[in-house]
Amino acid sequence: MRVLCVCLGNICRSPMAEGVVRAKVAGLDVTVDSAGTGAWHVGDPPDRRAIHCAAARGYDLAHLRARRVERTDFGGFDRILAMDHQNLADLHRLRPVGAPAQIALFHPDGLGIPDPYHLGAEDFDHALDLIEEAADALVMHLKA
Ligand code: 4NP
């Protein structure tokens, strides 16, 4: 199973999701990566607030670097998981015809993870709460 977590910039929500999912699938045959639909931050490490907030819960994001979603991702990953509804719509638009990847919202309750980029530290914490919840549901699904 190969899972790609996708947000807009790939410096806040999807790197946090990558770190959380990777920690929770330890020992399972699951590949985890993340990418953004936008190119502004390609090559950058995650936002320092995301790094800090994740580190406080035991997830190390410092080594991650942002990249953009590529056409080949739609064949290279089994599940591509969108952080919010805009990311989901963009992924459906970017998906090459006939590409096998399953595209879905990351959070199982149809909730978008609100973009914390222009907000404060508590918004990163709230995003991480939702990401941990969604990751627990994903891992239960993968183990079933
Ligand atoms: P992310 O947050 O999609 O959770 O990584 C954002 C980061 C940067 C920008 C937007 C959202 N930006 O416009 O630069």
Side-chain angles (χ1 to χ4, degrees), residues 15 25 29 36 38 46 54 64 78 96 100 102 104 109 117 133:
V25 299
D29 186 16
L64 301 178
D78 302 296
Q102 228 183 56
D109 300 336
Y117 183 61
E133 225 171 73

Side-chain angles (χ1 to χ4, degrees), residues 7-15 40-41 87 115-118:
C7 64
L8 179 57
N10 193 210
I11 56 168
C12 299
R13 293 165 294 172
S14 62
W40 307 284
H41 296 283
N87 307 146
D115 185 351
Y117 183 61
H118 295 289

Side-chain angles (χ1 to χ4, degrees), residues 3-64:
V3 176
L4 182 66
C5 303
V6 172
C7 64
L8 179 57
N10 193 210
I11 56 168
C12 299
R13 293 165 294 172
S14 62
M16 292 199 289
E18 178 182 348
V20 171
V21 172
R22 182 170 292 132
K24 289 184 186 288
V25 299
L28 299 179
D29 186 16
V30 180
T31 300
V32 188
D33 196 5
S34 67
T37 58
W40 307 284
H41 296 283
V42 167
D44 292 351
D47 186 286
R48 66 182 61 229
R49 297 164 295 174
I51 292 177
H52 181 82
C53 179
R57 301 193 199 185
Y59 309 108
D60 179 14
L61 310 185
H63 60 289
L64 301 178

Side-chain angles (χ1 to χ4, degrees), residues 15 29 32 38 50-51 58 64 67 74 79 89 95 114 119-120 137:
D29 186 16
V32 188
I51 292 177
L64 301 178
R67 72 171 180 88
F74 294 87
R79 306 195 76 188
R95 171 195 213 144
L119 304 173

